Amino acid sequence: METLLVINAHPTVDSEKSVSLQVLGRFLQEYRKVNPDGPIDRIDLYRDYVPGIDATFLSAWDKRRNGEPQNEDELRISERMSEIMRQFKRANKYVIAMPVHNFNIPSKLKDYMDNIIIPKETYHYTEKGSAGLLTDGRSLLVIQASDAVYTNNDWYTEVEYSHKYLKSIFNFLGVMDYRIIRAQGKYSFGREAQLAKAYQEAEMAAAALAGKPAEAKRTNAPAG
């Protein structure tokens, strides 16, 4: 049975005011309705330990690659990296819930990505460059909350690096089924309208990720 991994990238992990977490909650509610037996795993990036790239991280990586003994701090990082990778690869479907921070992904989400973009694990080198290894039909849903609107083909659209980065990286790893729910425009439309639209999209996305073909066509979002 396919596992869904929830990647919570909101700094206030349990915030009841967070738009992205409210939309995530609606998605999970609907997903459980249509797929009650499907296993769901979770990582909270601002609560759980996620190593960031620093001197110890790089030292641990070099020693692990070269088969050299590691000190206590390096072992802690290596073991945690392995745990994160096992959890990530065990899943077949992913949902990332996040706010937009200065046009980009939250910093802990970048740390998480650095733990899963690993050669021989999620991609490999070839004679023609690099190629993803996750080519077994995995899916990703991004729930992205922002006060501004990023789909008007204006300056905001140009600098929406969060969506561009995630789509490009997951496609690189081999995850081609990429969907995004933009809970956007609180200042333009108001919070209730923002949530109402996103809830509707979340319900359709839940049916799609649960494997209902009729709903899947409706929920594919444009690249933007």
Side-chain angles (χ1 to χ4, degrees):
M1 187 170 290
E2 294 186 331
T3 297
L4 172 70
L5 175 59
V6 176
I7 303 166
N8 176 8
H10 200 288
T12 50
V13 177
D14 298 318
S15 173
E16 296 181 356
K17 297 180 179 179
S18 161
V19 170
S20 59
L21 294 185
Q22 288 184 63
V23 178
L24 172 63
R26 177 63 64 90
F27 168 85
L28 291 174
Q29 178 184 359
E30 295 300 318
Y31 184 84
R32 288 190 177 100
K33 285 182 183 178
V34 296
N35 191 18
D37 299 322
I40 298 177
D41 206 350
R42 183 180 181 114
I43 182 168
D44 296 303
L45 303 186
Y46 283 87
R47 174 183 289 151
D48 302 325
Y49 172 50
V50 178
I53 294 181
D54 58 13
T56 307
F57 182 105
L58 294 175
S59 175
W61 175 249
D62 285 341
K63 288 182 179 180
R64 185 169 70 169
R65 182 175 53 193
N66 297 326
E68 300 174 8
Q70 300 175 330
N71 63 36
E72 184 177 342
D73 290 338
E74 292 164 347
L75 280 171
R76 177 171 176 258
I77 286 177
S78 291
E79 290 170 0
R80 182 55 180 155
M81 287 178 66
S82 295
E83 289 174 357
I84 290 172
M85 181 62 74
R86 284 195 297 270
Q87 182 191 50
F88 179 78
K89 291 179 70 174
R90 196 164 55 234
N92 312 89
K93 308 169 186 177
Y94 309 97
V95 55
I96 297 174
M98 66 171 201
V100 175
H101 283 173
N102 293 323
F103 314 111
N104 216 326
I105 63 175
S107 60
K108 281 296 180 183
L109 181 53
K110 179 57 169 63
D111 289 340
Y112 181 79
M113 298 300 293
D114 290 332
N115 280 263
I116 64 169
I117 308 172
I118 303 294
K120 299 182 181 179
E121 292 282 358
T122 53
Y123 76 96
H124 65 144
Y125 298 109
T126 72
E127 294 180 354
K128 297 181 179 180
S130 303
L133 293 172
L134 307 182
T135 56
D136 51 355
R138 299 173 188 233
S139 302
L140 168 66
L141 170 67
V142 175
I143 299 173
Q144 172 186 289
S146 63
D147 292 334
V149 176
Y150 288 93
T151 52
N152 288 335
N153 294 319
D154 56 10
W155 182 85
Y156 282 96
T157 304
E158 179 65 25
V159 299
E160 189 197 3
Y161 303 116
S162 56
H163 155 66
K164 295 174 183 176
Y165 172 76
L166 289 173
K167 186 175 189 296
S168 297
I169 291 297
F170 273 90
N171 284 177
F172 164 69
L173 297 179
V175 182
M176 307 308 293
D177 183 11
Y178 173 96
R179 308 161 192 272
I180 183 168
I181 296 173
R182 289 187 175 90
Q184 61 178 349
K186 182 175 73 174
Y187 290 141
S188 300
F189 310 122
R191 182 184 178 87
E192 294 307 314
Q194 177 191 35
L195 279 170
K197 182 177 182 298
Y199 283 160
Q200 185 178 29
E201 293 181 25
E203 291 168 5
M204 292 190 292
L209 263 68
K212 294 197 173 183
E215 296 293 342
K217 184 177 181 181
R218 297 168 57 194
T219 193
N220 280 333

